[in-house]
Amino acid sequence: MTNESLKKVFEHEKNFWDDIYKKRLLNNKNPKKFLSFWKEEYYKEINFFLESLFYKYKYSSLLEAGCGAGKHSLLLDGNIDKTLLDISPAAIEYAKYLSQKFKVENVEFILGNIFEMPFQKETFDFVWNTGVIEHYEIPDIEIILKEMLRLTKKNGMIAVGVPNLFSYPTIKA
């Protein structure tokens, strides 16, 4: 993808997600941690798995690259240093709002894109995202994954979550 094409992608992504998170900020006066039993179980399973990795490998820092609301990372153990990055200023504001509502500490918010993240090489133990890369073409996904790997410490880990297109919640949505 050319630099001009990437700029168009960044602008589109920023505008699209800004619109969504601006609406959430306006309409979400009292956010709940879980909107349904299914969501609660979903977050519990992911959090149990991730926290067990952090405990097993003695990880202490994570980057959620393309965090949106950041809820996945915000609900993890309070001893984990969390960095949440998104291209949308409104998404970052919403993630900050949720972190205050849920009384989350050890979190930093960064405005930036997942193709060129503003961090030194090997900064984080764990770099991840969920519901992000499936929006891109294979060559762009390769760039994103290389950037995630660049930021991951030796003996660290990256993880990528994509929706299961055949799951009941995805079909329903």
Side-chain angles (χ1 to χ4, degrees):
M1 191 177 272
T2 67
N3 281 342
E4 196 57 41
S5 299
L6 271 179
K7 285 180 187 176
K8 287 180 183 177
V9 169
F10 297 156
E11 191 62 28
H12 169 76
E13 291 293 309
K14 184 187 118 4
N15 292 337
F16 178 81
W17 293 109
D18 272 351
D19 288 344
I20 288 173
Y21 286 104
K22 283 178 186 173
K23 289 175 188 169
R24 287 188 185 175
L25 279 167
L26 289 174
N27 299 326
N28 206 347
K29 303 299 180 208
N30 190 14
K32 298 178 181 176
K33 283 191 178 180
F34 309 108
L35 300 176
S36 67
F37 173 76
W38 180 87
K39 280 285 194 184
E40 183 173 357
E41 289 303 308
Y42 168 75
Y43 281 105
K44 281 181 182 177
E45 284 184 31
I46 289 174
N47 286 7
F48 177 77
F49 176 73
L50 292 179
E51 288 170 355
S52 67
L53 287 177
F54 273 73
Y55 177 76
K56 179 178 181 178
Y57 296 108
K58 298 180 179 24
Y59 292 163
S60 63
S61 64
L62 75 79
L63 167 66
E64 186 172 352
C67 66
K71 203 173 205 183
H72 289 287
S73 294
L74 293 174
L75 294 176
L76 290 170
D77 182 290
N79 294 320
I80 299 169
D81 291 326
K82 303 163 191 73
T83 302
L84 279 61
L85 175 136
D86 204 278
I87 195 166
S88 165
I92 293 293
E93 285 307 308
Y94 190 71
K96 287 178 182 178
Y97 170 74
L98 290 180
S99 73
Q100 291 169 352
K101 287 291 185 183
F102 301 154
K103 298 178 178 30
V104 177
E105 297 180 3
N106 299 340
V107 61
E108 182 179 6
F109 303 93
I110 304 292
L111 186 62
N113 74 71
I114 56 177
F115 290 89
E116 301 169 318
M117 293 185 267
F119 305 104
Q120 297 293 319
K121 183 178 176 185
E122 298 179 15
T123 300
F124 302 97
D125 294 311
F126 189 79
V127 178
W128 79 309
N129 62 46
T130 182
V132 175
I133 67 166
E134 70 273 9
H135 297 278
Y136 295 96
E137 301 294 326
I138 297 296
D140 301 328
I141 292 170
E142 290 175 359
I143 294 169
I144 294 166
L145 292 174
K146 285 178 184 176
E147 183 67 354
M148 291 172 72
L149 283 169
R150 180 184 74 80
L151 300 176
T152 305
K153 293 178 182 177
K154 287 181 182 11
N155 300 319
M157 191 177 300
I158 70 166
V160 175
V162 295
N164 176 351
L165 298 178
F166 302 105
S167 70
Y168 174 73
T170 304
I171 292 169
K172 185 177 176 188

